[in-house]
Amino acid sequence: MFSSDVDIEVILRDFHIEGRTLRYSSFMGRLFNLCLKLGFEEGKILPSRAFCSDESQGYPIILIAKHFGTFPFNHGRVGGVISTDRHGPFAQHGKDLVIIHASHVGYDPDNHLFGTYRRLQTENNEFGPSCGKISGVLSWYRQEYEFARKNILLERSDSKNLVIIDNYLLRQERNEGIFLNMDKITSSMNNGSHAPVRSFSTAKCFVASEPFRESLKDARPENGRRQIGDLLNADVFKFKRHVPDDPESGGHLEQNLLSPMACIITSSAPLLVAAQVNTQVEFDRTYRTLATGQEFHGKRVLFISGLNIDISPSPGQLFPLTKFVPWAACLRAPDGTFTIMEQEEIFHALMEQSEVNDRQVDLEEAIHIMADASEVKVRLPDHRADSRSERECEFIAKMPQDDHNRYLE
């Protein structure tokens, strides 16, 4: 019933962050050089980024363009969800293809906090949640969890350890909400039922099970009552939720997080854990679309997924000091065979490459070249002049003469 919570803890233990972070300025050079080593053709590589739409992701995008010599295709949706339905146009736009995917989480280096980020464009450089989309998805679950924290009471009475639970939390016929694992919390009768020893106007009282009493340890009240608070651990509850329509992420983001949500909400850094989970689920989902997608027939494709940590900019900094934590990668060869690289393998493959990319583009020079280029007038084909709609002709006739002439040009 609750095995998914245990599974996610095991999975997250294998998603190492400490000692696996790379500055984007280093990561991009290493990734480009790795592509060349894998047989990608210089000048024919089209990168794609699958990032959240947050402005904090702009710096990594600039570096992708600088190192690969072209602005990246956009595979990303808000929250770090990958638009796999864009594979077709992406595959048509390049010979060799690279997809760089990352969920992101903010980091406040002064207070060592994940999930927050300084917004320089706000009036007073305020800190806000990051990723804001993930934070928004978590808000409903936080409310449910907060209600349970306050309305499950621990009581010590007549040498008995009791648990008082609000009636709302006992209603199993609910379609959604937070649901308790009564087998772990309360002692059962011989028939397996969980009969209350007392009934109140809005709650019922049960004898706490022996494992639950042991899990509380010294936090049990010696006398009287106390709210369970942070002692409400992920292994004694789960969430049910009818995931609402979400055009921003196609419904994928909340669905990705739903099963392990108890672990996410009870962690010390919920936005970090949520971003890690989303990265893992999106890699698995997208890998399978790459494996079956006919769009990539005869193409060489590298798909790398990880976590963007957006370190809040200090005064005087224009961009965040973004770091990348690789999670996994897969390489599709032109003959359709696949090679998967787990975290340790892709990390060491990147570290074996030089971070220096002698082929990177001077963006300032490129911008100057475009600014100084000869003007190109855009003209419609002549046959269009005779095919203008009646409404368009009326619109043109009402224009001032100068605007009229410019429009017709």
Side-chain angles (χ1 to χ4, degrees), residues 72 80 92 103 110 156 165 218 272 283 300 305 312 320 329 397:
Q92 294 173 4
S103 291
D110 295 328
R156 176 78 173 175
I165 302 174
D218 298 332
L272 170 62
F283 178 84
R300 181 174 280 105
S305 190
S312 289

Side-chain angles (χ1 to χ4, degrees), residues 140-141 144-148 168-169 174 176-180 232 237-240:
W140 181 86
Y141 301 91
E144 287 286 309
Y145 179 64
E146 187 63 22
F147 180 88
Y168 167 79
L169 300 171
R174 289 175 291 139
E176 59 182 22
I178 185 171
F179 289 79
L180 303 178
L232 183 60
F237 72 91
K238 70 174 181 179
F239 292 102
K240 289 182 183 178

